[in-house]
Amino acid sequence: MKTMIAAVALALFATAASAQTAEPQDWITMRFTANINKSADVAWQKVGGDDLCALGPYIDLPCANTKGTKLELGAIRTINNTLVEYIVARTKYSYTYAQANHSLYHGTMEVEPLTPATSRLVYTLLWNQTGVGDAAAQAASRDGRKARFQAAVDKMAAAANAP
């Protein structure tokens, strides 16, 4: 009887484990940078680092505060009326968000101090591109993000470098 119960339990566990097997993962990380001729403190303020929706004008999309107004953990913003982003990590010069409607899509914006008078703006994206489609669709998705986010970083750097 114990053997039969153990066999049934093992079969149920194996079935549950196979049902939870994730789809194939194809992780992409993209990093966009720009040097800033200001200290990290000044650069962070000039790019609106503590403002939940400062990113909006740089990516040319509307942004709305859904919960919170500063970049505190748990704050929520909506980009382009469709993308819901949750602030999941925060440091003095960075924040990381996760998008609720994408498979583990995360972004981090940060300002890295280089010297007392200079810094670097870094925007990093991480996502699983498996759900995007075939290789051509994935390439188009990467190219679109590359163009959009490098342009945003360049605009932020220009704002930060302005007098």
Side-chain angles (χ1 to χ4, degrees):
M1 180 70 161
K2 286 183 183 178
T3 305
M4 189 165 136
I5 291 172
V8 169
L10 184 59
L12 289 173
F13 177 75
T15 301
S18 67
Q20 294 178 14
T21 302
E23 66 180 71
Q25 305 293 303
D26 187 3
W27 294 100
I28 296 296
T29 302
M30 298 180 96
R31 189 171 191 259
F32 309 97
T33 65
N35 290 331
I36 299 174
N37 295 319
K38 305 278 187 209
S39 69
D41 281 329
V42 171
W44 186 249
Q45 292 309 310
K46 285 191 162 247
V47 299
D50 291 320
D51 180 348
L52 188 60
C53 276
L55 182 66
Y58 298 119
I59 59 173
D60 299 320
L61 293 172
C63 177
N65 298 342
T66 306
K67 177 186 171 197
T69 56
K70 292 211 174 241
L71 284 167
E72 63 226 13
L73 292 180
I76 302 169
R77 67 184 178 195
T78 302
I79 303 289
N80 202 29
N81 301 313
T82 58
L83 298 174
V84 178
E85 297 180 341
Y86 298 83
I87 304 304
V88 297
R90 177 86 162 94
T91 69
K92 183 176 180 180
Y93 302 126
S94 74
Y95 67 87
T96 298
Y97 61 87
Q99 288 185 355
N101 50 348
H102 285 338
S103 177
L104 297 176
Y105 184 104
H106 288 72
T108 299
M109 187 179 93
E110 65 184 309
V111 171
E112 296 177 340
L114 297 177
T115 71
T118 63
S119 55
R120 176 182 301 123
L121 179 65
V122 180
Y123 204 108
T124 306
L125 298 176
L126 167 70
W127 79 96
N128 173 15
Q129 71 174 358
T130 303
V132 174
D134 64 12
Q138 291 173 358
S141 178
R142 286 190 307 273
D143 291 346
R145 283 180 173 88
K146 183 177 182 180
R148 178 183 305 124
F149 283 93
Q150 188 60 60
V153 165
D154 292 343
K155 288 179 192 176
M156 285 187 267
N161 282 320

